[in-house]
Amino acid sequence: MDKDFAFEPVPSNAKKGFWPILSIMIGFTFFSASMLSGGALGIGLEFQNFIISVLVGNLILCIYTSLLAYISSDTGLSVHLLSKYSFGEKGSYLVSILLGGTQVGWFGVGVAMFAIPVEKVTGIPVIVLVMVSGLLMTATAYYGIKSLMILSMIAVPLITILGLWSIGIAIDDVGGVENLLKIKPQSTMTITSGISLCIASFISGGTLTPDFIRFSKNKKIAVISTIIAFLVGNSLMFLFGAIGAMATGQADISEVMFMQGLIIPSIIILGLNIWTTNDNALYASGLGFSNITKLPKNKLVIINGLIGTLFAIILYNNFMGWLTLLNTLMPSIGAIIIADYFIIHKRKYTKLQETNLKQVNVIAILSWVIGGLAAYFIGGIAPINSIIFSMIFYNIFTIIKVKL
């Protein structure tokens, strides 16, 4: 029996309540890469502008992900199955390749984020650490949604304690909050760039919200747990990264914690933290490639984990470039799904197995391309440009085609 329901809606007897869903979502957003992005903001922005960037960026993420959460809770479908309505049966493969591929990439980044600092402390060759940690993370992801809940319940409280501990040391080292606020950024970053970086750090993960939220018992649980995860959880991760970076001048959270003497706790707790998000990433990538290959999700989790592990160091060394790519390609996918559900179908999807799906909806593909071009070429906040332009053109083109 497929306990992860890769090819069908989640049945009512498999739905879960508020706390299990919240633990999964918080574990997903409690990602060390967000602390790394927070560190970049911390050395690039004054504190007031940092707060504005993070709050605005995560508020936008909240709106985007909550709408997707509502849809998935209503239908019980993963993002890959939802995309069949708007992109078509074969068109959904594009969505699955993009989202599944980016999650394999995030998995690799996470593995390297654990292995590289541990190598500096222990002297164990980084390649050995990458292989061992990558294989362990892949093994637990194999067991699906239940393992995600257990890992999250362990890691979330621990990383919160460690983050607050690090903030306390950073504030004490600079002589108090007042002195912290006086620190000038090492580089120049605009608020617009800060907001874009905040959104980009989790726009691909946010687009995969349906893969986890579809297990929620109702839409209220789905939306509230999503809001808490992104507005509170993700904001905390940025704060943990930024405060230490401001105090030490180091954007890398592992470097900050080593300088603070938190070597052993940081290795253990950051390792658990990365583990939870990496398991979510592999889980989601498995669902995506199942949609294309029709193979069981668990087998694909193993393949994806091996690929992410092999390319971990390369992906880590190109982290900011990775975010730029996500900024361009990911937001319009969720925007088209949202537009199709709320505007075109007015919150009423027929059952997937009873729907006469197109093979490829050219309108969705074209709107996705337009969204990507808008993100790349138009100034301002790239993810917002992508979302707005793809939604507008998808609605216009669809309405015109219906009338014709």
Side-chain angles (χ1 to χ4, degrees):
M1 179 183 174
D2 177 17
K3 295 182 180 179
D4 293 303
F5 310 101
F7 308 109
E8 60 184 318
V10 176
S12 57
N13 62 358
K15 299 270 187 167
K16 303 184 185 303
F18 175 72
W19 292 110
I21 295 298
L22 180 63
S23 70
I24 293 172
M25 291 304 294
I26 290 283
F28 191 33
T29 57
F30 265 45
F31 186 25
S32 295
S34 292
M35 286 196 280
L36 187 61
S37 297
L41 293 182
I43 63 175
L45 293 168
E46 293 184 352
F47 188 75
Q48 181 180 354
N49 292 338
F50 162 78
I51 294 296
I52 293 171
S53 296
V54 170
L55 290 180
V56 172
N58 279 319
L59 180 60
I60 292 168
L61 277 175
C62 264
I63 295 170
Y64 175 75
T65 55
S66 294
L67 291 171
L68 290 172
Y70 184 99
I71 299 170
S72 63
S73 178
D74 183 39
T75 60
L77 298 174
S78 70
V79 69
H80 310 284
L81 298 183
L82 281 174
S83 66
K84 291 178 183 289
Y85 289 101
S86 48
F87 285 82
E89 176 69 40
K90 296 291 192 297
S92 70
Y93 294 177
L94 171 66
V95 174
S96 294
I97 289 170
L98 288 169
L99 293 178
T102 55
Q103 292 311 296
V104 174
W106 273 127
F107 177 84
V109 170
V111 169
M113 283 190 70
F114 172 73
I116 290 172
V118 173
E119 186 268 342
K120 292 178 182 178
V121 175
T122 64
I124 300 172
V126 71
I127 188 64
V128 174
L129 291 166
V130 164
M131 295 305 296
V132 171
S133 58
L135 291 174
L136 285 173
M137 292 174 189
T138 301
T140 52
Y142 177 86
Y143 292 100
I145 203 75
K146 186 174 181 179
S147 70
L148 302 186
M149 283 189 291
I150 295 170
L151 277 171
S152 295
M153 288 177 179
I154 296 170
V156 167
L158 292 176
I159 194 64
T160 303
I161 293 168
L162 179 63
L164 293 173
W165 189 0
S166 176
I167 284 178
I169 293 173
I171 292 173
D172 185 62
D173 285 346
V174 299
V177 174
E178 186 176 348
N179 289 335
L180 181 75
L181 299 180
K182 291 178 182 178
I183 295 174
K184 296 297 181 182
Q186 295 180 6
S187 59
T188 302
M189 180 184 289
T190 65
I191 291 180
T192 299
S193 296
I195 294 171
S196 292
L197 179 57
C198 179
I199 297 172
S201 70
F202 232 107
I203 195 69
S204 63
T207 306
L208 287 160
T209 297
D211 291 357
F212 313 106
I213 287 294
R214 64 200 171 109
F215 284 90
S216 61
K217 283 187 176 179
N218 56 55
K219 293 186 281 289
K220 183 177 179 181
I221 289 172
V223 172
I224 291 175
S225 58
T226 301
I227 289 172
I228 293 172
F230 281 92
L231 193 57
V232 178
N234 204 36
S235 295
L236 272 177
M237 297 304 287
F238 272 87
L239 189 66
F240 292 162
I243 300 298
M246 292 172 68
T248 64
Q250 293 285 339
D252 190 326
I253 185 64
S254 60
E255 294 286 349
V256 171
M257 291 187 175
F258 289 169
M259 290 171 68
Q260 294 175 330
L262 301 175
I263 297 174
I264 301 303
S266 68
I267 288 174
I268 296 172
I269 298 172
L270 286 177
L272 280 172
N273 179 43
I274 291 169
W275 201 328
T276 61
T277 306
N278 269 11
D279 271 17
N280 279 276
L282 275 192
Y283 176 87
S285 71
L287 290 175
F289 290 113
S290 286
N291 179 46
I292 299 169
T293 64
K294 312 307 177 189
L295 294 172
K297 184 221 70 169
N298 289 350
K299 291 182 179 178
L300 292 166
V301 160
I302 295 172
I303 295 170
N304 294 343
L306 292 174
I307 293 171
T309 300
L310 290 173
F311 290 94
I313 301 300
I314 295 173
L315 291 163
Y316 178 82
N317 289 333
N318 294 277
F319 178 69
M320 288 305 171
W322 189 249
L323 289 185
T324 301
L325 176 66
L326 301 182
N327 230 359
T328 303
L329 298 179
M330 296 300 107
S332 52
I333 291 174
I336 289 167
I337 292 173
I338 290 167
D340 188 70
Y341 176 83
F342 284 102
I343 300 174
I344 302 302
H345 287 91
K346 304 186 187 308
R347 294 187 296 172
K348 292 181 181 178
Y349 273 159
T350 56
K351 291 182 179 180
L352 189 62
Q353 64 271 26
E354 298 172 2
T355 303
N356 184 21
L357 297 169
K358 297 177 182 178
Q359 287 300 298
V360 176
N361 185 3
V362 177
I363 289 175
I365 305 295
L366 182 59
S367 300
W368 170 73
V369 171
I370 290 172
L373 292 173
Y376 189 79
F377 288 107
I378 297 176
I381 303 172
I384 298 300
N385 293 336
S386 178
I387 290 170
I388 290 174
F389 276 82
S390 57
M391 288 185 75
I392 289 173
F393 279 91
Y394 182 78
N395 287 321
I396 290 174
F397 291 159
T398 302
I399 292 169
I400 289 173
K401 185 177 180 182
V402 169
K403 288 185 177 180
L404 291 176

